[in-house]
Amino acid sequence: MTYRHIAFIFCRNLQRDPVANHILNRLLALRPAEPSGDQFDGHPIHRWQCPDTGVQFAFAASVDVVSHDYGRYLPQLNNCFGTCDFVGLVNWHEGANAPDRILCLHTTGDVSSGQFGSADPVAFTGILRSFFAVTQRIGCTYASLSEATHWSGMGFSGLANQITQFPVPVMDLEIGSSPASWSDPDAHTALATALLEFPLHLTPEAPAILCVGGVHFEQAFCSPLQNGNVKAYNLAHILPNQWLQMDRYTGSEGVGNILAAASSIRGGIRAITFHDNLKGPLKESVRAAAVSLGIPAFNHKVLRDPVRFANALPVSQPS
């Protein structure tokens, strides 16, 4: 698809979000954007159109983290950005065992309940590639990682069925995972620059894959994209081990939940890849879902080898 209208949203309150306001300020310094006359959450929306690609960027500020008060923000999201190609929520990552000095991103969904937001694998992976390229070019020593699909609204009284009430693909774009990283100007510059340059890294011709298994930051799925297989595929939802309960992801219900994830991916998928350590009954669900879709399922090691990967795919897109 051709990307025309992209929105990025930033919580201005550094007490609630220690990253987003820094990125918004950096973006507005890099690309002076004009207030458009319309507002989001009481703040003017700034817009800038890239003269090279024609992509129009909307930079919107919010009072709170959008996913933390989703019921209040849903009407505004649909009203202001319901016709966007995708929306990026810029924020931070943290966690007791989380890697530090990272740029990361994830799609939106509640894997445990089988509720998945719309995902755009071309844009998602384009931004990931942009992270790789920009950090290398400017000498920013941050790793670029994909995260498992999740939604932070679940920890703030959000309801899983709210995820699908905004039909536009939403992804979180983050700096992690310590206060030193959140306040690092080099990381701010890298993330802001990567967001502006993502249209240069799109590969719409590459097949989209659904990933199942692995840990939250599963490098088996994303590392081949920076190790010689950079344009081979596009990532979509990533369903990690930690949320794949046996009673929800085996049997007919398990197959149905995997098919629900697949159906939420814009443009469809060409394959399902599973982590080699995925338990046998879950692999059976993955294979059954792939048979239902008429596509292959294979373990993650295939992603490391461009020839094996190409040979594993059907010649044409399933109808």
Side-chain angles (χ1 to χ4, degrees), residues 40-65:
F40 180 83
D41 206 19
H43 294 279
I45 299 172
H46 288 72
R47 299 187 188 275
W48 174 76
Q49 186 165 24
C50 176
D52 298 322
T53 64
V55 176
Q56 184 181 89
F57 291 85
F59 305 135
S62 62
V63 174
D64 202 351
V65 179

Side-chain angles (χ1 to χ4, degrees), residues 179-195:
S181 295
W182 303 334
S183 60
D184 185 349
D186 288 344
H188 302 159
T189 297
L191 181 57
T193 304
L195 297 185

Side-chain angles (χ1 to χ4, degrees), residues 77-92:
L77 287 170
N78 279 297
N79 181 57
C80 294
F81 305 123
T83 61
C84 282
D85 296 312
F86 74 85
V87 171
L89 305 179
V90 178
N91 51 67
W92 78 105

Side-chain angles (χ1 to χ4, degrees), residues 261-302:
S263 68
S264 70
I265 296 167
R266 179 182 280 168
I269 58 172
R270 293 279 301 282
I272 305 176
T273 186
F274 54 85
H275 196 277
D276 200 35
N277 292 333
L278 193 67
K279 292 181 179 178
L282 298 172
K283 287 181 183 177
E284 292 177 10
S285 296
V286 169
R287 292 190 178 105
V291 168
S292 178
L293 293 168
I295 59 175
F298 46 75
N299 78 51
H300 74 271
K301 295 176 183 177
V302 173

